[in-house]
Amino acid sequence: MVIKKVSIIGLGALGILFGNQFSKRLPRADLRIIADQDRIQRYQEDGVFCNGEHCDFNYVRPHEACEPADLLIIAVKFNGLADAIQAVKHHVGERTIILSLLNGITSEEIIGEAYGMDKVLYCVAQGMDAVKVENQLIYDHMGMICFGGNKTEKVNSLAEFFEQVEIPYEVDPDMLRRLWGKFMLNVGVNQTVSVFESNYGEVQVEGPARTMMISAMREVMALSEKVGVPLTEEDLDYWLRVLGTLSPDGKPSMAQDVEARRFSEVELFSGTVVKLGKRYDVPTPVNQELYHRIKSVEKQYTMA
C-alpha cells in the first residue's frame, strides 16, 4: 500500500504542525484539511501560520464527496471527536489508515466503533513543544509520532510514508504501554502546569510543581497495574526525560486553554483517573485536587 492522499481534521497545534510539514512534501490537492464553512472562511480570512510561515492549505467541507484518504489524521480535542467522526465519513475507504492524535486512552476505540479497528493504528504524538495562540503556531521541537501494532502492512506503509515526508517517527510493538505512558505524562504535566499557571520550565526543575506532577503520574502507574498495562519506574524515567527535552518557555495545550478561558480536557485526565480509581479502589488524592482546582477555575467562566 502506497500512501498518497492525506486528510486531516482539526487545526489545533498538532494539526497545523504536521499539516504544514505534509504541505511541503505533497501536491496541494493531495493534502485535505476537513472543516466546516465557518472555519474555512475564518482560516482563509485570518490565515493560519506555523513559525511565522503562512500555511496554504487545501480546505474541504465535510459533505463534499471525494476520493477516500490513504491516511486520515484526527487531531481535534476530545469534546469534538463525535462530530469529527461524522465529518470524515467521505474520507474513509476500505484501505484507509486512521491515526488519532487525541490525548487520553479511549479515542482509538471510539473511532474503531465507527469505522472498524482494522483501520486504526494506535498512535502517540510526543516530544513537541508547540504553542498556539489564535491563528499562530510556534514550536522549537516537532517531536515525533509513535505507532505500531500487529497490522504489519499498514505499519510498514506508514513508516515508508513518514520517511518520504520527513516526519520523525518511531514504531513501537507495545503501543498500549506507550499510550498509557503518554497518558501518565499528560495527567501530570498538563494539569500541573495549568494550576501553577506556569510552563514546562517550572516542572523541569525540583520544586512544588514537579513534586505534584510526579505524584499525579504515580497514581496513573498504580491504575495501570489494575488494567493490565503495568507502567514501571523505567517508564516514569523515560517520560520525564521526554519532558526534559521540551522548551522551558513552552506549555501544554491545557494550560493554553486555561489562559484563554476555554474549557479544558480535565475530564480526559484527572476526571478519568478519579473514575478509574473508584472502580479499582486505588487512591487518587492528587488527581482529585487537580480536578477540583481546574474545575473551580472553569466555574468562573460562567460567572463572569
Side-chain angles (χ1 to χ4, degrees), residues 19-296:
N20 183 61
Q21 180 66 17
F22 287 138
S23 71
K24 297 176 180 178
R25 300 291 183 268
L26 297 175
R28 187 174 184 275
D30 287 348
L31 174 63
R32 302 170 298 196
I33 307 297
I34 308 163
D36 60 39
Q37 185 57 45
D38 288 343
R39 283 190 174 88
I40 291 174
Q41 184 173 344
R42 185 170 72 249
Y43 296 151
Q44 291 176 333
E45 289 178 354
D46 300 341
V48 176
F49 297 87
C50 184
N51 280 348
E53 177 183 2
H54 179 258
C55 301
D56 182 27
F57 289 141
N58 169 34
Y59 299 107
V60 298
R61 292 168 294 181
H63 67 267
E64 293 181 44
C66 63
E67 186 177 347
D70 301 310
L71 172 63
L72 169 62
I73 295 177
I74 299 179
V76 299
K77 290 288 185 71
F78 187 77
N79 59 11
L81 180 57
D83 288 341
I85 287 172
Q86 294 302 312
V88 302
K89 61 183 178 182
H90 290 307
H91 296 255
V92 180
E94 284 301 312
R95 296 176 61 81
T96 302
I97 297 170
I98 303 176
L99 293 184
S100 166
L101 302 187
L102 276 73
N103 289 319
I105 51 177
T106 59
S107 65
E108 281 87 356
E109 281 73 16
I110 294 170
I111 295 165
E113 287 176 8
Y115 293 116
M117 282 303 296
D118 60 305
K119 296 179 177 62
V120 180
L121 288 182
Y122 281 101
C123 162
V124 163
Q126 66 180 69
M128 56 284 303
D129 53 11
V131 175
K132 179 175 178 282
V133 179
E134 296 182 350
N135 62 341
Q136 302 271 350
L137 177 77
I138 302 294
Y139 72 90
D140 291 325
H141 303 286
M142 182 181 290
M144 64 178 173
I145 297 180
C146 305
F147 59 92
N150 58 7
K151 306 176 184 73
T152 305
E153 181 188 2
K154 287 181 167 61
V155 169
N156 291 341
S157 295
L158 190 57
E160 290 173 9
F161 177 68
F162 281 166
E163 291 278 357
Q164 172 194 332
V165 297
E166 299 181 24
I167 295 285
Y169 73 93
E170 182 177 319
V171 175
D172 188 338
D174 192 358
M175 276 306 301
L176 280 179
R177 181 179 172 189
R178 173 86 65 157
L179 203 67
W180 267 83
K182 174 69 183 303
F183 177 61
M184 173 178 67
L185 179 68
N186 285 151
V187 163
V189 175
N190 292 25
Q191 300 187 120
T192 303
V193 173
S194 298
V195 300
F196 277 82
E197 300 179 351
S198 58
N199 52 27
Y200 291 128
E202 183 155 2
V203 291
Q204 288 170 333
V205 296
E206 295 302 324
R210 185 174 175 89
T211 298
M212 178 176 238
M213 174 190 73
I214 293 175
S215 296
M217 293 171 73
R218 288 192 179 281
E219 291 178 357
V220 176
M221 289 176 66
L223 286 169
S224 72
E225 293 276 350
K226 300 292 186 179
V227 300
V229 190
L231 298 173
T232 65
E233 290 294 322
E234 182 180 341
D235 293 303
L236 178 66
D237 290 342
Y238 170 82
W239 287 103
L240 291 176
R241 289 196 300 273
V242 170
L243 170 63
T245 67
L246 304 181
S247 169
D249 295 326
K251 58 188 64 178
S253 60
M254 187 176 197
Q256 297 171 51
D257 287 338
V258 171
E259 280 186 2
R261 296 177 63 83
R262 294 188 297 260
F263 289 99
S264 72
E265 292 184 309
V266 66
E267 296 292 348
L268 205 57
F269 300 135
S270 54
T272 298
V273 173
V274 171
K275 287 176 184 174
L276 289 175
K278 291 177 180 176
R279 180 186 304 174
Y280 294 107
D281 197 26
V282 172
T284 58
V286 178
N287 274 281
Q288 288 178 39
E289 180 181 350
L290 287 165
Y291 183 84
H292 172 72
R293 289 174 66 172
I294 293 168
K295 280 293 191 179
S296 295

